[in-house]
Amino acid sequence: MTQKKIGDVVLNVQNISLRFGGVKALTDISFDVREHEVRAIIGPNGAGKSSMLNCINGVYQPQDGSISFRGRTFKHMNSRQVAEMGIARTFQNLALFKGMSVIDNLMTGRNLRIRSGLLAQAFRNPFGIGGAQKEEEAHREFVEHIIDFLEIQAYRKTPVGQLPYGLQKRVDLGRALAMEPQVLLLDEPMAGMNLEEKQDMSRFILDVNDEFGTTIVLIEHDMGVVMDISDRVVVLDYGKKIGDGTPEEVRNNEEVISAYLGTSH
């Protein structure tokens, strides 16, 4: 792989603490994400990884700390507002519309990009030259590009619920890409996959990072995958940060080894 150029900090997480009643989910977590990198977040179950993503994309509001995106600090923003800033998210548990086709699921990812109002869409010019129709055609063209990119052309009109799990995860990735995010948050994109499916998904993640220039923040349990595709890794344990650095630095961090990686390297 050719050496890629990592840019300036685009996402800065500063001293984030999150509590649910008396339970501390995250305690004083700080790390940054640089433009064009693949940034992994790892840790045992219950370490706070998904809670961290939920803070970044506005699902949870942390009690302490701040999150900045391209120099703009946001507090008390909901998920839609964060998405409008350019941060998209996939979820550990698929939230696809199972009865809808692949292409229609991907089109839902264009929702934030639709500029014409509902009335304009309802009363489109019957001769096909209305602004709303032109806009929809442009969105469909963009979605078709993602379908080609993810190699799911054969399933364009297939209801998502009929697809194998690995392909459903690929559709989930495609829907997030349809939002044209600057930063893509991936919550265990390879959970439940076999080896071949993991290899495919790893390739697509690297291609998204390389060809689209998308910055990626990734939660993943498969350490082989993490070490292969990540530029930097932050390690959480019981809601606290215990490691941060390159894959090699993290792999040799004694605290990380004892908490998570075990003795085998």
Side-chain angles (χ1 to χ4, degrees):
M1 201 184 332
T2 57
Q3 185 67 32
K4 67 182 177 184
K5 187 177 186 302
I6 304 296
D8 296 330
V9 171
V10 290
L11 187 68
N12 202 0
V13 174
Q14 285 292 326
N15 308 112
I16 290 293
S17 292
L18 177 70
R19 297 179 293 278
F20 299 106
V23 178
K24 294 180 178 180
L26 297 168
T27 303
D28 197 30
I29 303 290
S30 296
F31 64 93
D32 61 41
V33 180
R34 295 184 173 274
E35 185 138 35
H36 200 205
E37 78 173 334
V38 176
R39 185 70 145 122
I41 303 175
I42 67 172
N45 288 329
K49 304 181 299 296
S50 291
S51 292
M52 189 68 252
L53 286 199
N54 283 333
C55 289
I56 293 172
N57 86 310
V59 174
Y60 295 158
Q61 305 295 334
Q63 284 83 10
D64 302 301
S66 65
I67 299 172
S68 300
F69 180 58
R70 297 197 179 280
R72 177 183 173 190
T73 300
F74 57 96
K75 282 191 174 184
H76 312 301
M77 273 191 163
N78 62 36
S79 293
R80 183 179 178 90
Q81 290 169 316
V82 173
E84 286 171 344
M85 290 173 66
I87 300 174
R89 165 89 183 270
T90 67
F91 289 88
Q92 195 171 333
N93 300 313
L94 289 166
L96 296 166
F97 299 103
K98 298 294 181 73
M100 288 168 50
S101 69
V102 166
I103 191 167
D104 286 340
N105 266 274
L106 266 61
M107 282 294 287
T108 64
R110 298 301 291 168
N111 182 43
L112 287 175
R113 300 285 173 180
I114 293 173
R115 294 290 173 252
S116 58
L118 288 174
L119 283 176
Q121 293 179 55
F123 297 103
R124 282 184 293 186
N125 187 310
F127 300 105
I129 55 174
Q133 177 141 344
K134 285 185 175 179
E135 184 185 23
E136 181 177 341
E137 288 170 356
H139 289 310
R140 283 195 172 271
E141 187 176 336
F142 187 89
V143 163
E144 290 286 3
H145 173 62
I146 292 173
I147 286 173
D148 289 344
F149 176 79
L150 293 175
E151 300 170 8
I152 49 178
Q153 302 95 326
Y155 312 101
R156 292 170 65 258
K157 296 187 177 179
T158 305
V160 165
Q162 295 180 16
L163 295 178
Y165 179 74
L167 285 175
Q168 289 190 34
K169 295 284 271 190
R170 210 181 292 184
V171 174
D172 193 34
L173 173 62
R175 185 172 61 175
L177 290 176
M179 296 169 61
E180 295 182 70
Q182 298 171 49
V183 174
L184 180 57
L185 311 177
L186 301 177
D187 193 348
E188 296 197 31
M190 297 171 220
M193 288 186 172
N194 61 37
L195 178 60
E196 185 179 352
E197 289 170 334
K198 284 183 179 182
Q199 288 172 340
D200 284 342
M201 184 59 77
S202 295
R203 174 169 57 90
F204 287 124
I205 289 170
L206 289 173
D207 285 348
V208 166
N209 179 243
D210 184 37
E211 295 181 31
F212 292 8
T214 309
T215 302
I216 291 172
V217 181
L218 166 79
I219 292 175
E220 182 50 52
H221 277 293
D222 188 317
M223 285 303 97
V225 168
V226 169
M227 297 302 168
D228 280 347
I229 73 173
S230 303
D231 297 298
R232 289 190 298 158
V233 183
V234 59
V235 190
L236 304 183
D237 190 32
Y238 293 107
K240 296 180 179 178
K241 186 174 85 169
I242 62 169
D244 193 355
T246 66
E248 191 64 28
E249 288 167 344
V250 164
R251 186 182 308 178
N252 295 309
N253 180 316
E254 291 300 326
E255 192 172 0
V256 173
I257 291 168
S258 61
Y260 187 49
L261 293 177
T263 54
S264 63
H265 291 208

